[in-house]
């Protein structure tokens, strides 16, 4: 990175273009599982990616879902992100992309379409992208079920992974993330008439209520930050029938592998409270925690680049939410997250991006990619070093 100010000046000149592209990308809705919308959004991003990298995307379709990959033969760095959002189709009609002063709002603007715009803009500023791979998936918000093998494969052949998820609202990158698990507890009881002979039934709603209380007691937020949160719940068929079946989803987050495994063991050991009720547990650990140890060398590099760009106070933060960076870090690949847009309110109606921070974050990413593309110690790993 011979002239870091050149990157910042160039990114600043491209700010208006980035805002326009962000509006276009937010308007291209990408609701989870909506194939026509995901395909259309993938078409748009494939064009932008080819423009930035000088090579076409490989569209990797798994179970119908279109993921976009730009592999590099000598892949020293992998830029990782996702273009799906949590918002249902037509959300854009009630909450269109809006700019007020230097703040943009709209569905998915922060998580993580702002980061994608910055990613491709940064790559336009890098002179040689031949050692840079890019992977944009479309099922991260639903658990990365189809994309996980692809993410892990590309991470294994990379020297480092830079995740372009959003930074914290004050601009911190993310050096550690909680791991997460997802479960569904299925309760089977026995139906009966709720008015004339409820005693003949086995009430699945009552059973699942007891399990909600049991699950809540497994958390350890005060001592270790482990959360066990019952979420989606369904039970019963009609108001005058003792419920025969109930289903409960459970979200678990923890900072350590041991904690995830402790809770996993406890959930799989749940026993019914009511005689004759039965329980079945589906799901399990989805992502192990992202370790700060793997991010620390990359953070130091990012801080060095930031200093040369005149960006002050870049620090690393711990994030409670998980990302696909959890997968890459679990493989032992150096991973730094939060290199996307500065903003907040992810998944909420007030989701926002600070537009005035886009040029500096774009220059930071471009500078970091430039350094990693040529730096010794972060080259692609020999096959013998891959777990």
């Amino acid at each position: 990175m011979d002239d870091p100010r050149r990157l910042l000046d160039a990114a600043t000149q491209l700010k208006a273009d980035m805002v326009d592209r962000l509006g276009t990308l937010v308007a291209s809705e990408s609701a989870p599982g909506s194939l026509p919308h995901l395909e259309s959004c993938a078409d748009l991003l494939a064009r932008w990616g080819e423009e930035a990298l000088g090579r076409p995307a490989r569209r990797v379709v798994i179970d119908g879902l279109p993921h976009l990959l730009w592999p590099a033969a000598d892949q020293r760095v992998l830029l990782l992100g996702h273009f799906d959002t949590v918002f249902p189709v037509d959300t854009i009609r009630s909450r269109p992309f809006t700019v007020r002063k230097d703040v943009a709002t709209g569905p998915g603007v922060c998580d993580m379409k702002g980061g994608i715009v910055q990613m491709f803009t940064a790559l336009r500023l890098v002179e040689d992208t031949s050692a840079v791979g890019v992977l944009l998936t479309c099922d991260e918000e639903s658990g990365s079920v189809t994309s996980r093998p692809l993410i892990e494969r590309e991470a294994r052949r990379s020297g480092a992974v830079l995740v372009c998820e959003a930074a914290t609202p004050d601009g911190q990158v993310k050096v550690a993330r909680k791991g997460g698990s997802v479960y569904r507890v299925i309760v089977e009881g026995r139906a009966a008439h709720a008015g004339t002979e409820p005693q003949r039934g086995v009430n699945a709603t009552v059973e699942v209520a007891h399990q909600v209380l049991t699950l809540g007691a497994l958390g350890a937020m005060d001592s270790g930050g482990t959360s066990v949160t019952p979420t989606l719940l369904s039970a019963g068929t009609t108001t005058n029938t003792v419920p025969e079946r109930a289903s409960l989803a459970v979200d678990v987050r923890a900072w350590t592998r041991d904690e995830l495994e402790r809770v996993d063991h406890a959930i799989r050991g749940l026993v019914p409270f009511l005689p004759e009720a039965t329980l079945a547990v589906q799901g399990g650990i989805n992502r192990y925690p992202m370790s700060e140890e793997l991010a620390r060398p990359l953070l130091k590099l990012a801080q060095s680049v930031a200093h040369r760009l005149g960006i002050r106070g870049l620090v690393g933060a711990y994030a409670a939410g998980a990302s696909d960076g959890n997968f890459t870090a679990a493989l032992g690949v150096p991973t730094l997250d939060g290199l996307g847009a500065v903003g907040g309110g992810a998944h909420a109606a007030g989701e926002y991006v600070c537009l005035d921070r886009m040029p500096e974050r774009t220059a930071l990413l471009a500078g970091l990619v430039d350094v990693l593309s040529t730096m010794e110690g972060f080259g692609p790993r020999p096959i013998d070093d891959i777990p």
Side-chain angles (χ1 to χ4, degrees):
M1 192 174 66
D2 296 330
D3 184 6
R5 298 300 301 184
R6 176 192 67 82
L7 292 177
L8 187 54
D9 290 343
T12 300
Q13 292 174 10
L14 289 171
K15 178 185 173 185
D17 179 70
M18 284 194 281
V19 175
D20 287 344
R21 288 187 181 227
L22 182 56
T24 299
L25 187 53
V26 170
S28 181
E29 291 189 292
S30 45
S34 179
L35 291 182
H37 294 87
L38 293 172
E39 289 280 5
S40 178
C41 191
D43 290 342
L44 172 65
L45 293 173
R47 292 194 297 271
W48 288 358
E50 183 170 358
E51 175 189 81
L53 287 157
R55 58 186 190 269
R58 292 184 188 174
R59 190 170 300 218
V60 183
V61 180
I62 306 172
D63 292 344
L65 295 175
H67 310 296
L68 294 175
L69 173 65
W70 291 263
D74 177 33
Q75 195 157 285
R76 301 181 68 85
V77 58
L78 174 68
L79 301 186
L80 180 60
H82 67 91
F83 60 92
D84 57 318
T85 74
V86 298
F87 300 99
V89 174
D90 289 335
T91 301
I92 195 69
R93 294 187 180 184
S94 59
R95 290 196 284 111
F97 178 76
T98 303
V99 175
R100 292 186 177 89
K101 295 184 178 180
D102 261 326
V103 175
T105 56
V109 68
C110 182
D111 185 14
M112 58 162 283
K113 295 189 172 182
I116 293 174
V117 169
Q118 291 177 190
M119 173 198 295
F120 284 142
T121 305
L123 290 171
R124 290 160 63 188
L125 304 180
V126 176
E127 292 184 8
D128 182 4
T129 61
S130 62
V132 183
V134 174
L135 175 58
L136 295 177
T137 66
C138 67
D139 66 348
E140 193 270 351
E141 298 293 4
S142 53
S144 305
V145 176
T146 70
S147 61
R148 179 174 180 175
L150 181 61
I151 293 166
E152 293 178 336
R153 187 192 75 191
E154 290 304 307
R156 285 190 175 101
R157 53 185 299 269
S158 304
V161 176
L162 304 180
V163 185
C164 292
E165 292 271 11
T168 67
D170 56 357
Q172 298 174 350
V173 294
K174 296 171 181 177
V175 296
R177 285 184 178 274
K178 282 185 175 182
S181 308
V182 180
Y183 300 91
R184 187 170 299 277
V185 179
I186 309 297
V187 176
E188 297 288 350
R190 184 171 58 247
H193 195 290
T196 60
E197 46 186 10
Q199 71 281 359
R200 299 190 63 176
V202 178
N203 196 316
T205 296
V206 172
E207 177 62 42
V208 81
H210 284 285
Q211 298 303 328
V212 166
L213 296 176
T214 300
L215 288 162
L218 296 178
M221 284 296 292
D222 292 340
S223 59
T226 301
S227 62
V228 180
T229 309
T231 55
L232 293 175
L233 172 64
S234 63
T237 53
T238 67
T239 59
N240 60 350
T241 303
V242 172
E244 183 176 31
R245 195 172 192 269
S247 172
L248 173 68
V250 186
D251 180 286
V252 179
R253 307 294 173 109
W255 288 116
T256 68
R257 180 183 291 251
D258 286 347
E259 271 295 276
L260 286 179
E261 292 176 348
R262 174 187 69 82
V263 175
D264 182 78
H265 180 76
I267 290 179
R268 297 188 188 285
L270 291 173
V271 295
F273 179 83
L274 299 178
E276 299 185 75
T278 62
L279 300 179
V281 175
Q282 301 172 352
I285 297 172
N286 177 258
R287 290 171 168 87
Y288 281 110
M290 175 180 157
S291 168
E292 182 182 6
E293 294 178 3
L294 289 167
R296 195 175 295 121
L298 291 173
L299 175 62
K300 290 181 179 178
L301 277 180
Q303 289 170 329
S304 175
V305 172
H307 178 74
R308 296 175 66 186
L309 288 168
I311 301 171
R312 299 288 181 261
L314 183 71
V315 297
Y318 279 50
S323 82
D324 285 337
N326 289 63
F327 295 141
T328 65
L331 297 173
V333 181
T335 300
L336 184 62
D337 206 333
L339 288 160
V342 176
H347 297 193
E351 185 172 352
Y352 71 93
V353 159
C354 299
L355 300 177
D356 57 332
R357 304 291 298 275
M358 292 187 81
E360 70 174 52
R361 306 302 288 204
T362 299
L364 173 65
L365 180 61
L368 187 54
V369 168
D370 192 41
V371 170
L372 287 170
S373 295
T374 58
M375 183 178 180
E376 293 297 326
F378 283 101
R381 291 183 296 167
I383 193 70
D384 291 342
D385 290 344
I386 296 176

